[in-house]
């Protein structure tokens, strides 16, 4: 019997397990289609192994606890936060969030049965609008049960990758030398929100009316919204497209952010928040670059646009 069946049994009378759609990261569980009380559902069944077998992540107690906590955070998000999201920034619908010890079963309505499919590059603007509303709605929201600092690559959660960074002979261009200053700049932002933390194209669904649903909230926590925007662009734009379109997409995001802040927090200084976050654009890129160089220095996301933003940050801080 699959480990997640006993988790489901107290909550559903009729359980029919279907196909396994995919395995979770490094053997941490699986995504499974099912029928639960005649509702088409998808289960995210989570059980973290005692050893993580990943080609680029060193097995350590720290790394294991980071992964364990990420699923606890996702469980908390769907249990306490997701049902309160506004209509323009919703997540996939979670019917039941179940936890026992180190096992989880997150039960979702199957969005493919309700007119949604995996989002594609044609949905970039719709997702940027979703992010703008998500960030505006969650402005200054407490992070109870979530990450105190959102996203999976920030400095304090990646000591192994930081230690792998090589020190450059030229201190003025040494990302390791500036890593703590970059992190401090991002953390000291006066206006924080909840960021998705893993806002890649693959973590959104869309329907034919460009309605967007977000999912995979393992790294949701406090931060500046610009971090999500940066990471989202790395997931769907090539180097050439970043040079050509990034500025236009930033304008689109911030126009929507200011409008959304005026809806959810009419007394908040929308223009000041947008200006403060825009200043952090190079820092967000430099921070992600620091992680990638320590994790996978040949990664395809390390491109000329990223390096341009890193150099912009260095030039402004030397």
């Amino acid at each position: 019997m699959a480990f997640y069946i006993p988790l489901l049994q107290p909550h559903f009378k009729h359980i029919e397990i279907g196909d396994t759609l995919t395995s979770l990261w490094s053997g941490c569980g699986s995504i499974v289609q099912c029928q639960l009380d005649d509702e088409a559902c998808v289960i995210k069944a989570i059980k973290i192994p005692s050893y993580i077998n990943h080609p680029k992540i060193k097995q350590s107690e720290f790394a294991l606890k980071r992964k364990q906590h990420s699923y606890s955070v996702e469980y908390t998000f769907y249990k306490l936060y997701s049902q309160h999201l506004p209509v323009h920034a919703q997540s996939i619908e979670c019917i039941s969030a179940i936890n026992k010890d180190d096992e989880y079963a997150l039960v979702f309505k199957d969005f493919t049965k309700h007119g949604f499919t995996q989002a594609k590059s044609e949905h970039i603007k719709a997702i940027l609008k979703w992010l703008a509303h998500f960030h505006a709605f969650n402005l200054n929201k407490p992070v109870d049960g979530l990450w105190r600092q959102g996203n999976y690559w920030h400095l304090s959660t990646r000591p192994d990758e930081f230690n792998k960074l090589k020190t450059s002979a030229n201190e003025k261009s040494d990302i390791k030398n500036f890593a703590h200053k970059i992190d401090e700049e991002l953390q000291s932002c006066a206006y924080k929100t909840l960021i998705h933390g893993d806002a890649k194209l693959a973590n959104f669904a869309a329907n034919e009316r460009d309605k967007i649903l977000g999912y995979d909230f393992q790294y949701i926590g406090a931060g500046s919204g610009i971090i999500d925007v940066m990471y989202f662009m790395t997931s769907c734009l090539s180097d050439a497209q970043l040079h050509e379109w990034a500025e236009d997409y930033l304008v689109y995001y911030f126009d929507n952010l200011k409008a959304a802040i005026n809806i959810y927090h009419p007394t908040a200084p929308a223009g000041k928040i947008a200006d403060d976050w825009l200043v952090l654009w190079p820092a967000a890129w430099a921070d992600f670059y620091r992680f990638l160089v320590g994790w996978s220095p040949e990664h395809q996301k390390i491109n000329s646009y990223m390096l341009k933003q890193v150099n912009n940050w260095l030039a402004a801080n030397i």
Side-chain angles (χ1 to χ4, degrees):
M1 179 186 292
F3 75 87
Y4 53 85
I5 300 292
L7 294 178
L8 300 174
Q9 286 172 333
H11 302 273
F12 301 96
K13 293 180 180 178
H14 304 290
I15 301 171
E16 293 182 31
I17 302 302
D19 294 334
T20 297
L21 300 177
T22 187
S23 296
L24 297 182
W25 180 89
S26 292
C28 290
S30 54
I31 307 290
V32 183
Q33 283 183 318
C34 62
Q35 289 280 130
L36 300 177
D37 293 346
D38 299 322
E39 174 84 55
C41 297
V42 172
I43 305 166
K44 185 171 185 178
I46 303 156
K47 186 174 183 178
I48 301 169
S50 58
Y51 184 88
I52 295 175
N53 184 19
H54 192 281
K56 290 178 179 162
I57 294 180
K58 176 185 175 183
Q59 170 67 23
S60 68
E61 190 67 22
F62 187 91
L64 191 62
K65 286 183 177 179
R66 178 179 63 230
K67 180 51 64 175
Q68 289 169 335
H69 187 59
S70 77
Y71 288 118
S72 172
V73 164
E74 185 172 37
Y75 165 80
T76 299
F77 171 77
Y78 284 116
K79 191 81 172 175
L80 302 178
Y81 290 83
S82 64
Q83 63 269 36
H84 303 298
L85 293 173
V87 65
H88 294 299
Q90 293 185 327
S91 67
I92 58 175
E93 187 173 349
C94 186
I95 296 172
S96 188
I98 306 164
N99 166 237
K100 184 178 180 182
D101 300 324
D102 62 344
E103 298 176 353
Y104 298 87
L106 302 177
V107 182
F108 303 103
K109 284 189 176 181
D110 186 343
F111 62 70
T112 67
K113 308 298 184 184
H114 298 273
F116 286 84
T117 59
Q118 172 66 56
K120 302 179 178 65
S121 57
E122 66 201 59
H123 300 114
I124 288 175
K125 280 194 169 182
I127 294 170
L128 288 171
K129 184 176 181 179
W130 185 99
L131 286 171
H133 278 264
F134 186 82
H135 296 149
F137 178 79
N138 289 305
L139 203 62
N140 296 322
K141 180 133 325 177
V143 294
D144 300 336
L146 308 179
W147 291 96
R148 292 186 178 276
Q149 188 176 358
N151 85 48
Y152 66 82
W153 62 87
H154 61 82
L155 187 59
S156 65
T157 201
R158 291 292 178 171
D160 296 334
E161 290 78 7
F162 176 76
N163 290 332
K164 284 168 62 178
L165 288 173
K166 296 179 180 177
T167 304
S168 170
N170 182 0
E171 288 190 4
K172 293 183 178 181
S173 63
D174 184 1
I175 198 69
K176 188 171 188 177
N177 185 50
F178 288 101
H180 288 89
K181 187 173 182 179
I182 295 167
D183 181 65
E184 182 181 343
E185 181 178 340
L186 291 169
Q187 285 205 64
S188 63
C189 173
Y191 302 100
K192 296 259 184 90
T193 185
L194 294 183
I195 63 172
H196 181 290
D198 193 10
K200 58 189 176 186
L201 186 62
N203 285 341
F204 294 95
N207 68 11
E208 60 183 12
R209 298 184 303 280
D210 279 355
K211 179 175 174 62
I212 301 297
L213 301 175
Y215 52 95
D216 278 6
F217 288 88
Q218 289 174 238
Y219 295 97
I220 183 172
S224 162
I226 200 70
I227 295 169
D228 272 345
V229 178
M230 176 280 299
Y231 185 71
F232 174 64
M233 288 198 197
T234 72
S235 77
C236 56
L237 298 177
S238 67
D239 189 22
Q241 289 169 329
L242 282 165
H243 283 288
E244 185 172 1
W245 297 110
E247 299 305 314
D248 289 341
Y249 284 138
L250 274 177
V251 170
Y252 183 80
Y253 166 77
F254 279 115
D255 284 348
N256 279 277
L257 177 74
K258 287 182 282 189
I261 290 173
N262 287 331
I263 293 171
Y264 305 121
H265 303 280
T267 62
K272 179 71 164 61
I273 294 167
D275 289 345
D276 282 12
W277 287 5
L278 180 57
V279 169
L280 296 174
W281 184 241
W285 284 92
D287 191 54
F288 190 48
Y289 171 74
R290 178 267 314 152
F291 162 69
L292 286 178
V293 173
W295 180 62
S296 181
E298 304 303 319
H299 201 285
Q300 62 181 3
K301 289 186 179 182
I302 301 176
N303 56 33
S304 67
Y305 184 87
M306 176 180 281
L307 294 175
K308 175 185 175 183
Q309 297 304 323
V310 173
N311 287 331
N312 284 346
W313 188 91
L314 290 170
N317 286 274
I318 291 174

